Amino acid sequence: MNTSFLDSTVTIARALGHPARLRTIAMLRGGELCVCQITAVLKLAPSTVSAHLRELRRAGLTAERKEGRWVWVGLGEDPETRPWIDNALAGVAGDEQMLLDLALVEEIQKLPVEDLCRLGYEAAREKRRSQVGATRSKERNAP
Amino acid sequence: MNTSFLDSTVTIARALGHPARLRTIAMLRGGELCVCQITAVLKLAPSTVSAHLRELRRAGLTAERKEGRWVWVGLGEDPETRPWIDNALAGVAGDEQMLLDLALVEEIQKLPVEDLCRLGYEAAREKRRSQVGATRSKERNAP
DNA sequence: ACTATATTTCGCGAGGAGACGAAATGAATA
DNA sequence: TATTCATTTCGTCTCCTCGCGAAATATAGT
């Protein structure tokens, strides 16, 4: 690397200096998320989310793991970036938007990833509702 | 204020996400500096420096104190921004550019502020050299 | 091999950031 | 009061960022 401490610090700070990226960091506190899950929460075009994730990765704030068709994103382990992540998380603690995001993440994690990616959040949720309903009916009929 | 935690955190991170502003924060570690001193170190147009300082102030990272014609800038005391400042300082520790800046600050602080502002660094330094020379000659002649 | 699909890359347009010089402002000093 | 001068504001230019959709890439399933 030919980049100075100054440059890398600027890169980290800049990466955190955007609502979508900061929200992404906050979302990942609870563990890895798939790119399409993040996209569903941010409600941005996949190409836009991809660009944001590239910046976070470049700054060392996140790490990505490819598993089949899906890419799982998690917080980076780099000791240099960790205090920045902690600051960011502390800074947005209690933020309204962030709480909404976390609640949506909870909901989204109940859905199979393949459905969420293919159908989008609303449709995947609808599909799950009907399936769960059918399962519960069967359970009631055959105890 | 109608700004959320998310917004203010973004503002802080963005403010740190520029070399000139990050260097300014690093310069202020040793204490207050006058705007024209900061300008002399950054070697940017006064109007540009003014804009950078406005952003730092807006983010709560710095505080300004007006004293006559001069404006003295120091690190902010806001407990919310303090960890960010500490991160920034830790991040640029040992950076080459920052060390050059600190050395220049040392030199600049030896000059009277009024000379530095009016004449610029080089001329003020030259003026001081001749004055110190004269003083030392007098001291030698009248011990 | 072919299809489906999760993600990235590319190209574009709109808006913001950052640089400067010129002019305005505000506070000492003559 | 007039002047000097540190700093800010304003106008302008250029370049970068961020959004999108379309096309490319890569991987799983048929």
Side-chain angles (χ1 to χ4, degrees):
Chain A
M1 281 239 228
N2 199 12
T3 62
S4 62
F5 292 107
L6 192 112
D7 288 336
S8 69
T9 305
V10 165
T11 301
I12 293 171
R14 284 189 63 103
L16 291 172
H18 189 285
R21 293 191 289 263
L22 196 47
R23 287 168 63 197
T24 302
I25 293 295
M27 267 187 256
L28 294 173
R29 192 217 285 261
E32 283 184 328
L33 290 175
C34 174
V35 171
C36 75
Q37 293 177 312
I38 297 171
T39 304
V41 174
L42 294 178
K43 298 186 179 74
L44 291 171
S47 57
T48 304
V49 174
S50 181
H52 283 310
L53 291 176
R54 193 201 314 142
E55 277 213 47
L56 287 172
R57 189 175 357 114
R58 248 175 35 93
L61 291 163
T62 58
E64 300 187 359
R65 182 172 63 82
K66 195 162 194 174
E67 186 179 301
R69 269 197 282 231
W70 294 286
V71 172
W72 294 88
V73 184
L75 294 180
E77 305 288 342
D78 187 349
E80 191 195 349
T81 60
R82 180 52 51 133
W84 291 90
I85 293 174
D86 293 341
N87 265 331
L89 294 176
V92 299
D95 179 83
E96 205 172 320
Q97 177 67 64
M98 194 228 25
L99 293 175
L100 290 172
D101 288 349
L102 288 189
L104 188 48
V105 164
E106 290 267 319
E107 289 306 309
I108 277 174
Q109 282 180 326
K110 294 178 187 164
L111 307 172
V113 192
E114 53 267 28
D115 287 353
L116 176 67
C117 285
R118 200 168 330 145
L119 310 173
Y121 172 58
E122 291 299 339
R125 206 168 86 102
E126 190 55 38
K127 177 179 172 189
R128 180 169 189 272
R129 285 215 310 152
S130 59
Q131 284 180 343
V132 167
T135 304
R136 292 213 176 122
S137 299
K138 273 201 283 186
E139 278 164 1
R140 269 200 303 278
N141 295 343
Chain B
M1 283 241 220
N2 199 12
T3 64
S4 62
F5 291 109
L6 192 112
D7 288 337
S8 68
T9 304
V10 164
T11 301
I12 293 171
R14 284 190 62 103
L16 292 172
H18 190 285
R21 293 190 291 262
L22 196 47
R23 286 168 64 196
T24 302
I25 293 295
M27 269 187 256
L28 294 173
R29 169 188 241 157
E32 283 184 329
L33 289 176
C34 174
V35 171
C36 76
Q37 294 178 312
I38 298 171
T39 305
V41 175
L42 294 178
K43 298 186 179 73
L44 290 171
S47 57
T48 305
V49 174
S50 181
H52 283 310
L53 292 175
R54 193 200 315 142
E55 276 213 45
L56 287 172
R57 188 174 0 113
R58 247 175 37 93
L61 291 163
T62 58
E64 300 186 1
R65 183 171 62 81
K66 196 162 194 173
E67 186 180 301
R69 270 197 279 234
W70 295 286
V71 173
W72 294 89
V73 184
L75 293 180
E77 306 288 342
D78 187 348
E80 191 195 349
T81 60
R82 181 49 53 127
W84 291 90
I85 293 174
D86 292 342
N87 266 172
L89 294 176
V92 299
D95 179 83
E96 206 172 318
Q97 177 67 63
M98 194 230 23
L99 293 175
L100 289 172
D101 289 349
L102 287 191
L104 187 49
V105 164
E106 289 268 319
E107 289 305 310
I108 278 174
Q109 283 181 324
K110 292 179 188 166
L111 306 173
V113 192
E114 54 267 28
D115 287 353
L116 177 68
C117 286
R118 201 168 327 147
L119 310 174
Y121 173 58
E122 291 299 340
R125 208 168 84 102
E126 191 53 40
K127 178 179 174 190
R128 180 169 189 273
R129 283 215 310 151
S130 59
Q131 285 179 345
V132 167
T135 304
R136 293 215 176 120
S137 299
K138 273 202 283 187
E139 277 165 1
R140 269 199 304 277
N141 296 343

